[in-house]
Amino acid sequence: MSIGRSGQSAGRGIEVRHLRAFLAVADEGNVTRAAARLRLTQPAVSRTLAALERHLGILLIDRSTHHLALTPEGVAFRDKAAAAVAAFDAALDPGGLRHWPLRLGHAWSAFGPYTTPLLRRWQELYPQTPLELLRIDDRTAGLTRGEVDAALLRGPIEAPGLVTEVLFEEDRVAAVAADGPLADRTALRLTDLAGETVVLNTVSGTTTVDLWPPSARPTATLTVANTDDWLTAIAAGRGVGVSAASTTDMHPHTGVAYRPLTDAPPVPVLLARRDGPGHPALPNLVALAREVVERDAGGG
């Protein structure tokens, strides 16, 4: 299949192999791994990608760092390329023997208590389309970088070009050292934490000092880059933290005690996707996520 521009011969146009090479590099973030996935040599993949960029007249991959990343144009092109390849495969494979995985990102705690029901129900309904749950330490769980097709996110998201839907809200909990004095309390308030060092995950977390009223904001903070470091700092007694209730079950830690935080506003849990063409199974994911939440709310 050749997708040449008007006036160009098929031999000089773009073929599906160009799109497959781009998608492999975009997924792997590395030409060597992309080549192994495609069973090609690294120079062949590099030449194919360069030919695609020359044809389009845009740079799709930022090669300035060791870990290759999509440019903004590459992010926009990825969905179009993936849709074109999927349509091509479907035309040649009407029996549905080849399938395009749906990548669902999250930064922490996934879909909370609904994670397992969502994954199991998806497997029952759509076994031909693998649902890959990927943890990516990023505020949008890799969505704006084109690393996933959709993402489960917490808190307000202001990234442009995203469509979001609030699926449910979670209460907040305080996370304190299991052997500290605050662990002896059955519940806590924001003012109970104000005199402590507050550990903030500034990469993918939702908590900032703005959560506290202006008259009682913490004076000391410790910043970390991911949930694992956040838990380690709290367990070591270096500070306290605030998170969503699902963290209690999704991230248990012997050195951390979770306690209800009675006066903090709840955290919205969102399903986010890019505004534009995307994975053909995205509507099914949105509908199933709603169904799983509503079933639980209805006692089912």
Side-chain angles (χ1 to χ4, degrees):
M1 176 180 179
S2 179
I3 313 175
R5 286 178 172 172
S6 177
Q8 291 182 319
S9 66
R12 297 172 57 193
I14 295 302
E15 302 173 356
V16 170
R17 64 184 178 87
H18 293 87
L19 303 182
R20 292 194 195 279
F22 163 68
L23 291 172
V25 173
D27 288 346
E28 299 293 343
N30 181 283
V31 174
T32 301
R33 290 195 298 269
R37 170 173 159 180
L38 296 169
R39 298 182 181 179
L40 298 172
T41 65
Q42 181 176 337
V45 173
S46 296
R47 288 195 300 270
T48 303
L49 179 60
L52 175 62
E53 291 178 321
R54 285 196 303 271
H55 181 87
L56 296 174
I58 57 176
L59 188 67
L60 299 172
I61 303 290
D62 181 359
R63 300 167 175 80
S64 62
T65 61
H66 178 69
H67 181 83
L68 303 184
L70 295 178
T71 64
E73 293 80 7
V75 171
F77 183 70
R78 185 195 179 279
D79 285 342
K80 298 176 182 178
V85 171
F88 178 77
D89 286 345
L92 297 184
D93 183 28
L97 300 180
R98 292 185 294 273
H99 306 286
W100 173 19
L102 176 60
R103 303 165 304 164
L104 179 60
H106 72 103
W108 45 277
S109 294
F111 205 25
Y114 307 111
T115 303
T116 298
L118 176 69
L119 295 177
R120 287 183 175 177
R121 187 67 176 143
W122 181 271
Q123 178 61 26
E124 293 173 2
L125 295 176
Y126 311 107
Q128 74 281 6
T129 304
L131 180 60
E132 298 180 351
L133 188 63
L134 305 173
R135 175 181 161 184
I136 300 176
D137 290 313
D138 175 70
R139 186 67 188 94
T140 64
L143 185 58
T144 56
R145 300 201 303 259
E147 297 180 27
V148 296
D149 303 297
L152 294 164
L153 308 175
R154 284 171 172 78
I157 301 297
E158 299 179 356
L162 297 185
V163 176
T164 62
E165 177 178 349
V166 177
L167 294 174
F168 66 99
E169 292 186 331
E170 290 185 314
D171 291 335
R172 295 188 195 248
V173 294
V176 301
D179 58 354
L182 291 177
D184 295 333
R185 307 272 293 276
T186 57
L188 294 167
R189 298 174 61 84
L190 287 170
T191 52
D192 297 325
L193 308 180
E196 308 287 332
T197 296
V198 176
V199 185
L200 303 176
N201 177 354
T202 57
V203 175
S204 58
T206 60
T207 302
T208 70
V209 293
D210 292 335
L211 180 64
W212 283 261
S215 60
R217 285 180 178 165
T219 57
T221 60
L222 173 65
T223 61
V224 296
N226 55 62
T227 302
D228 294 333
D229 291 347
W230 181 81
L231 289 168
T232 299
I234 295 170
R238 300 181 64 193
V240 299
V242 175
S243 189
S246 61
T247 306
T248 304
D249 296 322
M250 300 294 290
H251 296 282
H253 193 294
T254 56
V256 176
Y258 296 102
R259 297 292 180 264
L261 199 54
T262 59
D263 60 343
V267 180
V269 179
L270 319 172
L271 181 60
R273 58 193 186 279
R274 289 185 293 277
D275 186 10
H279 194 291
L282 275 174
N284 295 334
L285 177 63
V286 174
L288 183 59
R290 292 177 187 148
E291 175 190 314
V292 168
V293 173
E294 290 171 0
R295 174 182 296 185
D296 182 81

PDB file of all heavy atoms in Angstrom, residues 161-187:
ATOM      1  N   GLY A 161      -5.707  20.294  24.603  1.00  0.00           N
ATOM      2  CA  GLY A 161      -5.912  19.214  23.651  1.00  0.00           C
ATOM      3  C   GLY A 161      -6.427  17.917  24.239  1.00  0.00           C
ATOM      4  O   GLY A 161      -6.422  16.887  23.565  1.00  0.00           O
ATOM      5  N   LEU A 162      -6.890  17.943  25.504  1.00  0.00           N
ATOM      6  CA  LEU A 162      -7.392  16.734  26.136  1.00  0.00           C
ATOM      7  C   LEU A 162      -8.895  16.846  26.391  1.00  0.00           C
ATOM      8  O   LEU A 162      -9.409  17.922  26.687  1.00  0.00           O
ATOM      9  CB  LEU A 162      -6.687  16.461  27.465  1.00  0.00           C
ATOM     10  CG  LEU A 162      -5.186  16.201  27.435  1.00  0.00           C
ATOM     11  CD1 LEU A 162      -4.692  15.832  28.829  1.00  0.00           C
ATOM     12  CD2 LEU A 162      -4.823  15.134  26.424  1.00  0.00           C
ATOM     13  N   VAL A 163      -9.574  15.727  26.291  1.00  0.00           N
ATOM     14  CA  VAL A 163     -10.984  15.615  26.652  1.00  0.00           C
ATOM     15  C   VAL A 163     -11.042  14.780  27.927  1.00  0.00           C
ATOM     16  O   VAL A 163     -10.486  13.678  27.967  1.00  0.00           O
ATOM     17  CB  VAL A 163     -11.797  14.940  25.538  1.00  0.00           C
ATOM     18  CG1 VAL A 163     -13.245  14.740  25.970  1.00  0.00           C
ATOM     19  CG2 VAL A 163     -11.733  15.762  24.254  1.00  0.00           C
ATOM     20  N   THR A 164     -11.683  15.287  28.961  1.00  0.00           N
ATOM     21  CA  THR A 164     -11.738  14.572  30.238  1.00  0.00           C
ATOM     22  C   THR A 164     -13.173  14.387  30.694  1.00  0.00           C
ATOM     23  O   THR A 164     -14.057  15.181  30.373  1.00  0.00           O
ATOM     24  CB  THR A 164     -10.956  15.322  31.335  1.00  0.00           C
ATOM     25  OG1 THR A 164     -11.562  16.607  31.552  1.00  0.00           O
ATOM     26  CG2 THR A 164      -9.498  15.518  30.936  1.00  0.00           C
ATOM     27  N   GLU A 165     -13.377  13.320  31.449  1.00  0.00           N
ATOM     28  CA  GLU A 165     -14.688  13.031  32.035  1.00  0.00           C
ATOM     29  C   GLU A 165     -14.494  12.554  33.462  1.00  0.00           C
ATOM     30  O   GLU A 165     -13.704  11.628  33.710  1.00  0.00           O
ATOM     31  CB  GLU A 165     -15.411  11.957  31.216  1.00  0.00           C
ATOM     32  CG  GLU A 165     -16.745  11.547  31.813  1.00  0.00           C
ATOM     33  CD  GLU A 165     -17.480  10.520  30.972  1.00  0.00           C
ATOM     34  OE1 GLU A 165     -17.054  10.278  29.832  1.00  0.00           O
ATOM     35  OE2 GLU A 165     -18.478   9.967  31.468  1.00  0.00           O
ATOM     36  N   VAL A 166     -15.175  13.183  34.404  1.00  0.00           N
ATOM     37  CA  VAL A 166     -15.108  12.759  35.805  1.00  0.00           C
ATOM     38  C   VAL A 166     -15.974  11.512  35.976  1.00  0.00           C
ATOM     39  O   VAL A 166     -17.170  11.526  35.683  1.00  0.00           O
ATOM     40  CB  VAL A 166     -15.591  13.874  36.751  1.00  0.00           C
ATOM     41  CG1 VAL A 166     -15.570  13.373  38.197  1.00  0.00           C
ATOM     42  CG2 VAL A 166     -14.719  15.117  36.613  1.00  0.00           C
ATOM     43  N   LEU A 167     -15.357  10.426  36.457  1.00  0.00           N
ATOM     44  CA  LEU A 167     -16.073   9.170  36.625  1.00  0.00           C
ATOM     45  C   LEU A 167     -16.539   8.951  38.064  1.00  0.00           C
ATOM     46  O   LEU A 167     -17.583   8.367  38.298  1.00  0.00           O
ATOM     47  CB  LEU A 167     -15.192   8.007  36.182  1.00  0.00           C
ATOM     48  CG  LEU A 167     -14.863   8.000  34.679  1.00  0.00           C
ATOM     49  CD1 LEU A 167     -13.861   6.902  34.363  1.00  0.00           C
ATOM     50  CD2 LEU A 167     -16.126   7.807  33.848  1.00  0.00           C
ATOM     51  N   PHE A 168     -15.744   9.392  39.018  1.00  0.00           N
ATOM     52  CA  PHE A 168     -16.158   9.334  40.419  1.00  0.00           C
ATOM     53  C   PHE A 168     -15.216  10.209  41.234  1.00  0.00           C
ATOM     54  O   PHE A 168     -14.245  10.754  40.700  1.00  0.00           O
ATOM     55  CB  PHE A 168     -16.183   7.896  40.959  1.00  0.00           C
ATOM     56  CG  PHE A 168     -14.843   7.217  41.048  1.00  0.00           C
ATOM     57  CD1 PHE A 168     -14.157   7.141  42.256  1.00  0.00           C
ATOM     58  CD2 PHE A 168     -14.258   6.630  39.933  1.00  0.00           C
ATOM     59  CE1 PHE A 168     -12.937   6.495  42.352  1.00  0.00           C
ATOM     60  CE2 PHE A 168     -13.031   5.983  40.010  1.00  0.00           C
ATOM     61  CZ  PHE A 168     -12.361   5.916  41.222  1.00  0.00           C
ATOM     62  N   GLU A 169     -15.511  10.357  42.511  1.00  0.00           N
ATOM     63  CA  GLU A 169     -14.669  11.148  43.404  1.00  0.00           C
ATOM     64  C   GLU A 169     -14.220  10.282  44.572  1.00  0.00           C
ATOM     65  O   GLU A 169     -14.956   9.402  45.027  1.00  0.00           O
ATOM     66  CB  GLU A 169     -15.426  12.378  43.937  1.00  0.00           C
ATOM     67  CG  GLU A 169     -15.718  13.419  42.863  1.00  0.00           C
ATOM     68  CD  GLU A 169     -16.332  14.678  43.455  1.00  0.00           C
ATOM     69  OE1 GLU A 169     -17.016  14.565  44.507  1.00  0.00           O
ATOM     70  OE2 GLU A 169     -16.128  15.767  42.898  1.00  0.00           O
ATOM     71  N   GLU A 170     -12.998  10.552  45.021  1.00  0.00           N
ATOM     72  CA  GLU A 170     -12.432   9.806  46.144  1.00  0.00           C
ATOM     73  C   GLU A 170     -12.197  10.728  47.327  1.00  0.00           C
ATOM     74  O   GLU A 170     -11.763  11.875  47.149  1.00  0.00           O
ATOM     75  CB  GLU A 170     -11.088   9.182  45.760  1.00  0.00           C
ATOM     76  CG  GLU A 170     -11.178   8.043  44.780  1.00  0.00           C
ATOM     77  CD  GLU A 170      -9.817   7.406  44.558  1.00  0.00           C
ATOM     78  OE1 GLU A 170      -8.831   8.141  44.370  1.00  0.00           O
ATOM     79  OE2 GLU A 170      -9.750   6.172  44.580  1.00  0.00           O
ATOM     80  N   ASP A 171     -12.473  10.220  48.523  1.00  0.00           N
ATOM     81  CA  ASP A 171     -12.103  10.959  49.728  1.00  0.00           C
ATOM     82  C   ASP A 171     -10.582  10.993  49.842  1.00  0.00           C
ATOM     83  O   ASP A 171      -9.875  10.167  49.260  1.00  0.00           O
ATOM     84  CB  ASP A 171     -12.693  10.287  50.965  1.00  0.00           C
ATOM     85  CG  ASP A 171     -14.208  10.419  51.021  1.00  0.00           C
ATOM     86  OD1 ASP A 171     -14.741  11.379  50.430  1.00  0.00           O
ATOM     87  OD2 ASP A 171     -14.842   9.542  51.624  1.00  0.00           O
ATOM     88  N   ARG A 172     -10.089  11.951  50.598  1.00  0.00           N
ATOM     89  CA  ARG A 172      -8.641  12.037  50.832  1.00  0.00           C
ATOM     90  C   ARG A 172      -8.276  11.369  52.151  1.00  0.00           C
ATOM     91  O   ARG A 172      -9.087  11.296  53.072  1.00  0.00           O
ATOM     92  CB  ARG A 172      -8.188  13.499  50.849  1.00  0.00           C
ATOM     93  CG  ARG A 172      -8.355  14.206  49.521  1.00  0.00           C
ATOM     94  CD  ARG A 172      -7.710  15.575  49.565  1.00  0.00           C
ATOM     95  NE  ARG A 172      -8.143  16.418  48.471  1.00  0.00           N
ATOM     96  CZ  ARG A 172      -7.361  16.819  47.474  1.00  0.00           C
ATOM     97  NH1 ARG A 172      -6.095  16.437  47.436  1.00  0.00           N
ATOM     98  NH2 ARG A 172      -7.817  17.600  46.515  1.00  0.00           N
ATOM     99  N   VAL A 173      -7.041  10.882  52.188  1.00  0.00           N
ATOM    100  CA  VAL A 173      -6.509  10.293  53.410  1.00  0.00           C
ATOM    101  C   VAL A 173      -5.164  10.940  53.723  1.00  0.00           C
ATOM    102  O   VAL A 173      -4.485  11.464  52.835  1.00  0.00           O
ATOM    103  CB  VAL A 173      -6.319   8.769  53.271  1.00  0.00           C
ATOM    104  CG1 VAL A 173      -7.646   8.070  53.105  1.00  0.00           C
ATOM    105  CG2 VAL A 173      -5.373   8.436  52.115  1.00  0.00           C
ATOM    106  N   ALA A 174      -4.804  10.905  54.996  1.00  0.00           N
ATOM    107  CA  ALA A 174      -3.469  11.320  55.409  1.00  0.00           C
ATOM    108  C   ALA A 174      -2.591  10.083  55.477  1.00  0.00           C
ATOM    109  O   ALA A 174      -3.046   9.001  55.886  1.00  0.00           O
ATOM    110  CB  ALA A 174      -3.523  12.013  56.764  1.00  0.00           C
ATOM    111  N   ALA A 175      -1.349  10.238  55.063  1.00  0.00           N
ATOM    112  CA  ALA A 175      -0.373   9.149  55.143  1.00  0.00           C
ATOM    113  C   ALA A 175       0.703   9.577  56.136  1.00  0.00           C
ATOM    114  O   ALA A 175       1.347  10.617  55.945  1.00  0.00           O
ATOM    115  CB  ALA A 175       0.235   8.872  53.785  1.00  0.00           C
ATOM    116  N   VAL A 176       0.882   8.804  57.199  1.00  0.00           N
ATOM    117  CA  VAL A 176       1.832   9.161  58.257  1.00  0.00           C
ATOM    118  C   VAL A 176       2.694   7.949  58.587  1.00  0.00           C
ATOM    119  O   VAL A 176       2.355   6.809  58.241  1.00  0.00           O
ATOM    120  CB  VAL A 176       1.097   9.647  59.521  1.00  0.00           C
ATOM    121  CG1 VAL A 176       0.234  10.870  59.207  1.00  0.00           C
ATOM    122  CG2 VAL A 176       0.226   8.538  60.112  1.00  0.00           C
ATOM    123  N   ALA A 177       3.808   8.175  59.241  1.00  0.00           N
ATOM    124  CA  ALA A 177       4.679   7.077  59.654  1.00  0.00           C
ATOM    125  C   ALA A 177       3.929   6.144  60.598  1.00  0.00           C
ATOM    126  O   ALA A 177       3.270   6.600  61.541  1.00  0.00           O
ATOM    127  CB  ALA A 177       5.935   7.616  60.321  1.00  0.00           C
ATOM    128  N   ALA A 178       4.012   4.859  60.336  1.00  0.00           N
ATOM    129  CA  ALA A 178       3.258   3.882  61.128  1.00  0.00           C
ATOM    130  C   ALA A 178       3.666   3.875  62.589  1.00  0.00           C
ATOM    131  O   ALA A 178       2.861   3.499  63.456  1.00  0.00           O
ATOM    132  CB  ALA A 178       3.431   2.491  60.522  1.00  0.00           C
ATOM    133  N   ASP A 179       4.911   4.277  62.890  1.00  0.00           N
ATOM    134  CA  ASP A 179       5.363   4.281  64.282  1.00  0.00           C
ATOM    135  C   ASP A 179       5.370   5.682  64.890  1.00  0.00           C
ATOM    136  O   ASP A 179       5.941   5.905  65.955  1.00  0.00           O
ATOM    137  CB  ASP A 179       6.764   3.669  64.389  1.00  0.00           C
ATOM    138  CG  ASP A 179       7.791   4.412  63.540  1.00  0.00           C
ATOM    139  OD1 ASP A 179       7.399   5.327  62.787  1.00  0.00           O
ATOM    140  OD2 ASP A 179       8.984   4.059  63.628  1.00  0.00           O
ATOM    141  N   GLY A 180       4.709   6.633  64.238  1.00  0.00           N
ATOM    142  CA  GLY A 180       4.656   7.998  64.729  1.00  0.00           C
ATOM    143  C   GLY A 180       3.405   8.269  65.549  1.00  0.00           C
ATOM    144  O   GLY A 180       2.445   7.486  65.531  1.00  0.00           O
ATOM    145  N   PRO A 181       3.373   9.401  66.250  1.00  0.00           N
ATOM    146  CA  PRO A 181       2.219   9.701  67.113  1.00  0.00           C
ATOM    147  C   PRO A 181       0.916   9.906  66.349  1.00  0.00           C
ATOM    148  O   PRO A 181      -0.157   9.608  66.872  1.00  0.00           O
ATOM    149  CB  PRO A 181       2.654  10.980  67.843  1.00  0.00           C
ATOM    150  CG  PRO A 181       3.717  11.584  66.978  1.00  0.00           C
ATOM    151  CD  PRO A 181       4.427  10.426  66.353  1.00  0.00           C
ATOM    152  N   LEU A 182       0.970  10.407  65.121  1.00  0.00           N
ATOM    153  CA  LEU A 182      -0.264  10.645  64.373  1.00  0.00           C
ATOM    154  C   LEU A 182      -0.954   9.340  63.982  1.00  0.00           C
ATOM    155  O   LEU A 182      -2.161   9.328  63.738  1.00  0.00           O
ATOM    156  CB  LEU A 182       0.030  11.464  63.111  1.00  0.00           C
ATOM    157  CG  LEU A 182       0.455  12.922  63.336  1.00  0.00           C
ATOM    158  CD1 LEU A 182       0.782  13.597  62.020  1.00  0.00           C
ATOM    159  CD2 LEU A 182      -0.648  13.699  64.066  1.00  0.00           C
ATOM    160  N   ALA A 183      -0.189   8.252  63.930  1.00  0.00           N
ATOM    161  CA  ALA A 183      -0.786   6.955  63.588  1.00  0.00           C
ATOM    162  C   ALA A 183      -1.711   6.446  64.675  1.00  0.00           C
ATOM    163  O   ALA A 183      -2.535   5.552  64.432  1.00  0.00           O
ATOM    164  CB  ALA A 183       0.314   5.942  63.311  1.00  0.00           C
ATOM    165  N   ASP A 184      -1.620   6.998  65.884  1.00  0.00           N
ATOM    166  CA  ASP A 184      -2.494   6.578  66.981  1.00  0.00           C
ATOM    167  C   ASP A 184      -3.893   7.172  66.861  1.00  0.00           C
ATOM    168  O   ASP A 184      -4.810   6.748  67.576  1.00  0.00           O
ATOM    169  CB  ASP A 184      -1.886   6.989  68.327  1.00  0.00           C
ATOM    170  CG  ASP A 184      -0.583   6.265  68.621  1.00  0.00           C
ATOM    171  OD1 ASP A 184      -0.400   5.144  68.101  1.00  0.00           O
ATOM    172  OD2 ASP A 184       0.260   6.826  69.344  1.00  0.00           O
ATOM    173  N   ARG A 185      -4.061   8.141  65.967  1.00  0.00           N
ATOM    174  CA  ARG A 185      -5.368   8.792  65.790  1.00  0.00           C
ATOM    175  C   ARG A 185      -6.218   7.989  64.804  1.00  0.00           C
ATOM    176  O   ARG A 185      -5.712   7.400  63.846  1.00  0.00           O
ATOM    177  CB  ARG A 185      -5.162  10.217  65.260  1.00  0.00           C
ATOM    178  CG  ARG A 185      -4.188  11.060  66.100  1.00  0.00           C
ATOM    179  CD  ARG A 185      -4.886  11.784  67.218  1.00  0.00           C
ATOM    180  NE  ARG A 185      -5.782  12.783  66.694  1.00  0.00           N
ATOM    181  CZ  ARG A 185      -5.396  14.028  66.342  1.00  0.00           C
ATOM    182  NH1 ARG A 185      -4.120  14.405  66.477  1.00  0.00           N
ATOM    183  NH2 ARG A 185      -6.275  14.903  65.896  1.00  0.00           N
ATOM    184  N   THR A 186      -7.522   7.967  65.025  1.00  0.00           N
ATOM    185  CA  THR A 186      -8.417   7.257  64.096  1.00  0.00           C
ATOM    186  C   THR A 186      -8.748   8.095  62.871  1.00  0.00           C
ATOM    187  O   THR A 186      -9.112   7.553  61.821  1.00  0.00           O
ATOM    188  CB  THR A 186      -9.721   6.867  64.807  1.00  0.00           C
ATOM    189  OG1 THR A 186     -10.343   8.055  65.331  1.00  0.00           O
ATOM    190  CG2 THR A 186      -9.434   5.895  65.940  1.00  0.00           C
ATOM    191  N   ALA A 187      -8.630   9.398  62.970  1.00  0.00           N
ATOM    192  CA  ALA A 187      -8.880  10.313  61.857  1.00  0.00           C
ATOM    193  C   ALA A 187      -8.079  11.588  62.097  1.00  0.00           C
ATOM    194  O   ALA A 187      -7.701  11.890  63.236  1.00  0.00           O
ATOM    195  CB  ALA A 187     -10.372  10.627  61.719  1.00  0.00           C
TER     196      ALA A 187
END
